[in-house]
Amino acid sequence: MAQDNFSRVTEFILLGLSDNRELQLLFFTLFLLAYAMVLLGNLLIIVTVRTDPKLSSPMYFLLCHLSFIDICYTSVTAPKVLVALLSGHKAVAFEGCMAQLFFLHFVGSSEMFLLTVMAFDRYTAICRPLHYTAIMARRACWALVAACWAGGFIHSIVQTVLTLQLPFCGPNTIHSYFCDVLPVVQLACADTTLTEWLMASNSGLISLACFLVLVASYVLILAKVRACLSQGRWKALSTCASHVMVVTLLFVPCIFTYLRPAGTLPSNKYICVIYTTFSPMMNPLIYTLRSKEVKGSMWRLWKRCRA
């Protein structure tokens, strides 16, 4: 049958996390609290870093951009989820679904690349301290951040184009609370085997490659710290410990979700909550509680605001 004979789907129905009204109200409360923490925590980090000249090192420059990405990343899914949980309206237009899919992968992959850059920053600070200032100059930092956004855009446009070229003619029920490539592709009225493998190669391999680079950098850092146990290096290692927590929360669920074609394993929408909501919520907590400089700057900012 020719593709022109298909009646095109104009909207999708997001089944959400539960049909139980009591559970929906519970999820609404939890998502609202998590989203508020993401917004307030990451905005506080951005304001603190931007207003305190003492936080001008490349690490805090990259942390500021990570906070901005976390706000954008969570805002792609959280508002729609909150509206659906409160009102029960689960329909999303086809164009809105594709837009959510694009921005989710655009910002999400940009965050993965940025976390990899932050690991490189910590590796350079610990393993090559004499060359750190030259390697991580401000111009180089801006170039690395721009490369992260460019890489995220290229990755996302590939995913979106692969999805848009599929015909959608029948079922329109997505077994998730947001539009993502795997649950959307499963609804296509065509053989999607090749598309699924291409998407798994794209999203899954990017997640795995970034994760392996991060692991390799931590191994090198640990080897260097064992050889030189100075107080400064232990302090840098403490920063890496918090970085490892963020990386684990983000990369492991993404690798499990995307490094396989759709349908090979049942999708678990609760795992998606970890990397779409929980990980961005933990970033400000981990980085502020593990950094005396950031906590001190926040306290000075608080005193200036009260004055």
Side-chain angles (χ1 to χ4, degrees):
M1 183 181 292
Q3 182 173 334
D4 293 339
N5 294 332
F6 288 122
S7 57
R8 186 177 179 84
V9 169
T10 59
E11 67 176 15
F12 293 104
I13 305 299
L14 301 171
L15 292 184
L17 294 169
S18 175
D19 291 328
N20 185 283
R21 187 55 184 169
E22 288 73 18
L23 283 178
Q24 287 180 353
L25 293 176
L26 175 62
F27 286 136
F28 173 82
T29 303
L30 295 177
F31 268 88
L32 181 61
L33 291 175
Y35 188 44
M37 290 180 65
V38 170
L39 293 180
L40 296 177
N42 285 292
L43 282 174
L44 181 59
I45 290 178
I46 293 173
V47 173
T48 301
V49 173
R50 297 288 294 177
T51 57
D52 193 338
K54 295 182 179 180
L55 301 180
S56 59
S57 68
M59 181 180 73
Y60 295 114
F61 173 82
L62 297 175
L63 175 59
C64 186
H65 283 274
L66 177 64
S67 295
F68 175 73
I69 286 180
D70 277 336
I71 292 174
C72 296
Y73 185 50
T74 310
S75 297
V76 173
T77 58
K80 176 62 180 176
V81 174
L82 291 172
V83 171
L85 288 171
L86 191 62
S87 66
H89 181 69
K90 299 181 178 181
V92 56
F94 180 88
E95 294 78 9
C97 187
M98 293 301 106
Q100 187 179 59
L101 185 153
F102 171 79
F103 285 108
L104 179 75
H105 282 265
F106 176 31
V107 183
S109 55
S110 298
E111 177 167 3
M112 290 185 178
F113 295 137
L114 184 60
L115 286 170
T116 307
V117 170
M118 293 177 72
F120 173 74
D121 170 75
R122 290 299 85 208
Y123 163 79
T124 307
I126 296 173
C127 300
R128 304 188 63 183
L130 297 180
H131 302 88
Y132 177 68
T133 304
I135 295 174
M136 297 301 295
R138 183 51 62 98
R139 180 176 295 180
C141 289
W142 275 110
L144 289 170
V145 170
C148 292
W149 284 107
F153 177 81
I154 293 172
H155 158 75
S156 184
I157 202 69
V158 170
Q159 297 285 85
T160 307
V161 169
L162 287 173
T163 305
L164 286 173
Q165 56 87 30
L166 295 172
F168 295 94
C169 58
N172 65 339
T173 302
I174 298 177
H175 293 270
S176 184
Y177 60 94
F178 64 96
C179 292
D180 200 1
V181 289
L182 295 180
V184 170
V185 165
Q186 288 179 308
L187 302 178
C189 304
D191 183 7
T192 60
T193 303
L194 178 60
T195 302
E196 291 173 18
W197 278 107
L198 290 173
M199 289 181 170
S201 301
N202 190 359
S203 295
L205 289 181
I206 285 177
S207 303
L208 182 61
C210 291
F211 183 68
L212 292 177
V213 170
L214 287 162
V215 171
S217 68
Y218 297 140
V219 170
L220 293 173
I221 290 172
L222 288 173
K224 185 68 174 181
V225 169
R226 285 187 60 187
C228 185
L229 301 178
S230 67
Q231 182 179 0
R233 282 176 169 78
W234 275 116
K235 181 180 178 181
L237 184 63
S238 176
T239 303
C240 287
S242 61
H243 194 181
V244 170
M245 295 176 65
V246 176
V247 164
T248 303
L249 288 172
L250 177 63
F251 280 89
V252 173
C254 286
I255 293 172
F256 174 81
T257 301
Y258 295 110
L259 195 58
R260 58 184 175 87
T264 55
L265 287 173
S267 61
N268 192 330
K269 52 193 173 185
Y270 297 103
I271 292 179
C272 300
V273 177
I274 299 176
Y275 62 84
T276 59
T277 304
F278 190 69
S279 176
M281 180 185 68
M282 291 300 294
N283 279 351
L285 294 176
I286 290 173
Y287 281 106
T288 54
L289 294 178
R290 300 287 298 181
S291 175
K292 293 182 179 179
E293 290 86 354
V294 175
K295 287 189 291 186
S297 296
M298 287 182 176
W299 178 245
R300 290 191 294 271
L301 178 64
W302 171 252
K303 289 193 294 185
R304 289 200 303 268
C305 292
R306 292 187 62 184

